[in-house]
Amino acid sequence: MTTRLASRSSLVAVALAATLALAACSPEEEPAEDGTSASGTAAATDTGLDVEAYQEIVDNGAVADDAVVEANEWASAVREAGVLSVGGTETSTLFSLVDPTDGTARGFDAGLSQLLSRYILGEVGTELSQVTVDTREDLLENNSVDTILATYSITPERAARVAFAGPYYSSQSAILVAADNENIASVEDLAGTTVATQAASTGVTVIEEFAPEAEVLALPDHEQALAAVRQGRADAYVIDQTLLLNAVVGSEDVKIVGEPFGPADNYGIGLPPDSDAVEFVNTWLQQVIDDGTWEELWQVTIGNRTGVDEAPAPPTVGETIS
């Protein structure tokens, strides 16, 4: 497998407890997308990932017929380049975390990008460039990357600038509490409690709508909201479940309780606008879902590491605007 961590020259210029199941990440919060806080700072070598099982999934990924690739301008360009240039993250524990021992990114998003590269190239070959919330659309518009896979929420504003395949993953809001908290097991139990969330995120409005009798403790970022629960200053923390899943990996002092709730947040595969990539990538994604690869990858990268035995149903490919 060839996975390079590099930037194209143009980039520089552009500068679940018992019911834990998958789950709204607001466009304005999205720390998981820039890889700065959603992932935490867990060591890449101690994340509980079964690397051998992960690699087997990637290495067994489907390969497209030559005619299929040659019929698509975007895929043909990737094949000619010999590598799939991916905008992603390097520090998201569950979705794309670079192992410093070998320089390889692994996780749900990373796995999908590697499977896509194998589908086009006949072998795994990706070039990962760290993206942020502020740079993604620019990078796709100027063709600095071939695609972006980075818990990239599909919004009408973004869809007006770039193309989206997918969605490949859907999230909602969830509840995190201290591990020894037996009083909160559902959103209904938040009444009368202090609930932390990130200021300027949809977490505030979600709490106000679904737990109107809770006191909202709006804090600047994910780390401070998580700390508030650990320190007992908040009874619970409500935010996108993707962030919370990352938080519970390797942590024994917090847990996720109850069912996900609130509006769905669909993650898409960002693609250059005005290209013919969407249909090609959607065809590949549907195949990955139909042949069970999506579920296997989810189980190894997320389910097994968060104590969830049953993968969620994947979202419907093609429904890109929620």
Side-chain angles (χ1 to χ4, degrees), residues 131-166:
V131 297
T132 72
V133 173
D134 295 327
T135 63
R136 291 170 304 193
E137 287 79 51
D138 289 341
L139 295 176
L140 288 171
E141 287 178 324
N142 63 24
N143 293 305
S144 292
V145 296
D146 298 313
T147 185
I148 288 180
L149 261 158
T151 58
Y152 195 5
S153 300
I154 302 171
T155 69
E157 293 77 14
R158 292 169 180 168
R161 294 184 59 185
V162 303
F164 281 106

Side-chain angles (χ1 to χ4, degrees), residues 44 114 123 276:
Q114 290 154 8
E123 61 182 10
D276 60 353

